[in-house]
Amino acid sequence: TGYIAHSDGTEIEARLFQYFLVQSNSHEPAELLYRFEQFIEEFNDSLAENTPVERFKTLKTSLIDSLRTRFRNLNSKTQLWDHLAFERGAEFDFVEKRISALAALSYEDFLKHANRFFGRENRKRLALLFQGKLAAPFAYEPIALPQIDKMATYTK
């Protein structure tokens, strides 16, 4: 199987998004979607056994420690304050709130939220399938939203 996969999370307009990107020159977009769906379903089904209570506690402690120590230099602290001042409406206690929320998260709540998020019944999931030919030599080029209309066809 040959493909490149990437996953990350981001916050847009005070909403959290998790996204998966996959690229292949050997598989059709629908096949890649099926593979990711299967992976997510298997991951969700085995979440409790792959993340036992002790591992959950270790991950939670690590995340809390990371939040406490992440903004140590002038550059990262400035970026944080800029984000809090202008994108979070001067919510300067945001990091402390996040730490408190993580500290209060129980294992049972973690499993419940994760299962609901990854489950098929989550109707907020969206898949975008793109197919095309790669230019030689291949290079990523940024495009704006209006350009997508001219480059792709859409189906429901």
Side-chain angles (χ1 to χ4, degrees):
T1 302
Y3 51 82
I4 300 168
H6 175 76
S7 175
D8 203 357
T10 189
E11 180 184 343
I12 302 171
E13 296 182 2
R15 294 187 179 262
L16 296 176
F17 293 88
Q18 179 70 38
Y19 60 89
F20 301 90
L21 305 171
V22 63
Q23 175 184 341
S24 174
N25 61 3
S26 61
H27 297 327
E28 296 294 317
E31 183 181 352
L32 295 171
L33 176 62
Y34 300 142
R35 288 172 184 238
F36 266 71
E37 286 287 343
Q38 181 179 1
F39 168 78
I40 292 168
E41 192 169 315
E42 290 173 2
F43 176 83
N44 195 27
D45 289 344
S46 61
L47 184 62
E49 66 187 59
N50 289 331
T51 312
V53 176
E54 289 308 313
R55 181 160 187 243
F56 166 77
K57 288 178 182 176
T58 302
L59 291 170
K60 185 166 96 166
T61 301
S62 177
L63 282 169
I64 291 170
D65 290 344
S66 174
L67 281 171
R68 285 188 177 132
T69 60
R70 184 178 301 168
F71 309 103
R72 289 194 169 205
N73 65 40
L74 185 58
N75 183 40
S76 63
K77 189 68 108 174
T78 304
Q79 287 178 356
L80 171 65
W81 286 343
D82 178 72
H83 175 75
L84 296 177
F86 299 107
E87 294 179 38
R88 298 216 53 94
E91 186 182 6
F92 292 105
D93 59 348
F94 176 72
V95 175
E96 289 80 17
K97 286 180 180 177
R98 246 178 122 177
I99 291 170
S100 296
L102 271 170
L105 181 65
S106 70
Y107 181 68
E108 293 75 21
D109 283 344
F110 158 72
L111 290 177
K112 181 178 73 174
H113 293 303
N115 289 149
R116 191 170 56 224
F117 178 78
F118 287 115
R120 285 184 179 256
E121 57 279 350
N122 180 354
R123 296 294 174 216
K124 295 179 182 177
R125 293 171 26 163
L126 172 69
L128 301 174
L129 308 177
F130 293 94
Q131 185 170 358
K133 300 286 183 204
L134 296 177
F138 174 73
Y140 286 104
E141 292 180 26
I143 62 171
L145 203 51
Q147 292 171 296
I148 292 176
D149 262 350
K150 296 178 181 104
M151 301 173 76
T153 57
Y154 303 94
T155 60
K156 290 184 180 183

